Amino acid sequence: CIKKFRKPHNSKAAEDLPPEDPDLPREFRLAQLEFEHIKRLSKLGIACPQPIDQKECLVLMEMIGDGDGPAPTLREALTAFPEIWGDTLRQCIRLLRDLYMRAGLVHGNISEKKLLFGRRKEMNCRMWGGTIYLTGLAKAVEKDDPQAEQLLAHDVNTILSFFNRTGSIPNFKELKEKTFEYVTATTEELENLDFVEYLESQLCSVCLKTAEYGFAENGQNISMKSAFAVFLFLIGRVWVGWTNAQLRL
């Protein structure tokens, strides 16, 4: 697919990312940064569209999808299939950590609309598998940037707030603090954190609440789908060791 960066309509928008070359239009610089960042992530094996080429304000990259069309955004996928709630939350948190610790970047402008749910399998009106892909990386900053910590806190809050839009996450403020600690922890510091166990306990509480109240975009009752989410969660506890290993990497 091709992504085109457009010239801003006002001067304030142009000031938020001054180009390294004064003669280079802002939209050209944004395209360069998008291409450079997804190329860096791609080399590290972090889920993102594969970069192909970049010219002026255009970036050519892989289309994330399953052959029959583009992948849905996280918002679209989670609204239609609430049973993937726990797995997608784990993936999103892990992506924030990979982006920060492995790629040395902070997204700074993340949202559920900039996360795509690809490589999914739909069977009997249920969603199985699937990978969360990062997009919209033109304004990502290096983790040693003076604003990186503030931007990371914003990303953590944005992601967790989306998953908490029904208010079902207990101790939401504490979860944000612990998630930020997990994302920024070194390998040595990670050994002393109980984040994995803590997250699993939160997911268990959320699944039970979701089964009662549902996770519909329009607030409608979807308790049957959500009850299935509880079933999947309990089955998933059998593989909790695998989950722990993935989060601790």
Side-chain angles (χ1 to χ4, degrees):
C1 69
I2 298 176
K3 182 173 182 177
K4 181 177 181 179
F5 291 88
R6 300 182 183 277
K7 185 177 181 179
H9 297 293
N10 56 69
S11 58
K12 288 185 177 179
E15 292 172 359
D16 65 357
L17 186 70
E20 293 182 358
D21 183 350
D23 298 324
L24 189 68
R26 176 180 178 274
E27 60 270 25
F28 287 19
R29 180 60 182 153
L30 282 171
Q32 284 183 350
L33 288 171
E34 177 88 2
F35 187 74
E36 291 169 6
H37 290 158
I38 61 175
K39 186 162 65 173
R40 186 191 304 189
L41 266 60
S42 180
K43 288 181 178 179
L44 293 170
I46 299 174
C48 68
Q50 296 298 306
I52 299 174
D53 199 5
Q54 180 265 323
K55 184 176 182 180
E56 297 182 344
C57 64
L58 302 176
V59 178
L60 180 63
M61 65 184 82
E62 169 196 23
M63 184 188 79
I64 303 300
D66 297 306
D68 56 350
T73 64
L74 178 60
R75 173 182 285 272
E76 294 168 339
L78 200 53
T79 297
F81 301 95
E83 61 267 22
I84 64 175
W85 194 97
D87 181 59
T88 50
L89 176 54
R90 292 188 192 97
Q91 285 195 56
C92 287
I93 293 175
R94 179 57 203 243
L95 270 177
L96 289 177
R97 176 171 171 80
D98 282 346
L99 187 64
Y100 186 84
M101 295 302 296
R102 295 176 59 200
L105 292 172
V106 173
H107 193 290
N109 193 32
I110 204 167
S111 75
E112 68 277 9
K113 295 179 181 179
K114 294 181 179 178
L115 295 166
L116 301 180
F117 191 69
R119 293 184 181 175
R120 63 201 189 281
K121 295 180 180 179
E122 188 176 337
M123 296 176 61
N124 300 323
C125 299
R126 301 293 178 191
M127 190 76 80
W128 301 89
T131 301
I132 301 295
Y133 288 81
L134 275 170
T135 67
L137 288 153
K139 295 185 179 180
V141 301
E142 301 291 335
K143 72 175 188 178
D144 58 358
D145 185 279
Q147 292 186 315
E149 186 172 319
Q150 179 182 352
L151 291 172
L152 178 58
H154 172 270
D155 285 347
V156 169
N157 180 69
T158 298
I159 291 299
L160 294 183
S161 293
F162 168 69
F163 280 93
N164 191 45
R165 55 184 175 167
T166 59
S168 56
I169 297 180
N171 304 316
F172 181 63
K173 183 178 180 181
E174 182 181 60
L175 177 59
K176 288 196 295 183
E177 293 172 353
K178 285 185 174 290
T179 300
F180 187 90
E181 290 177 359
Y182 166 75
V183 170
T184 58
T186 63
T187 304
E188 294 74 19
E189 293 171 339
L190 207 58
E191 294 297 324
N192 299 320
L193 295 180
D194 59 350
F195 181 76
V196 175
E197 293 77 9
Y198 175 80
L199 179 60
E200 290 302 315
S201 69
Q202 297 292 297
L203 290 178
C204 184
S205 297
V206 170
C207 279
L208 293 175
K209 288 187 177 182
T210 303
E212 182 177 354
Y213 299 112
F215 194 88
E217 176 71 21
N218 56 10
Q220 295 177 351
N221 185 357
I222 51 172
S223 57
M224 289 300 291
K225 279 189 174 183
S226 302
F228 189 70
V230 176
F231 172 74
L232 289 182
F233 176 81
L234 294 176
I235 293 296
R237 296 291 289 179
V238 177
W239 288 278
V240 69
W242 177 84
T243 301
N244 291 354
Q246 291 297 307
L247 284 172
R248 285 198 174 103
L249 288 178

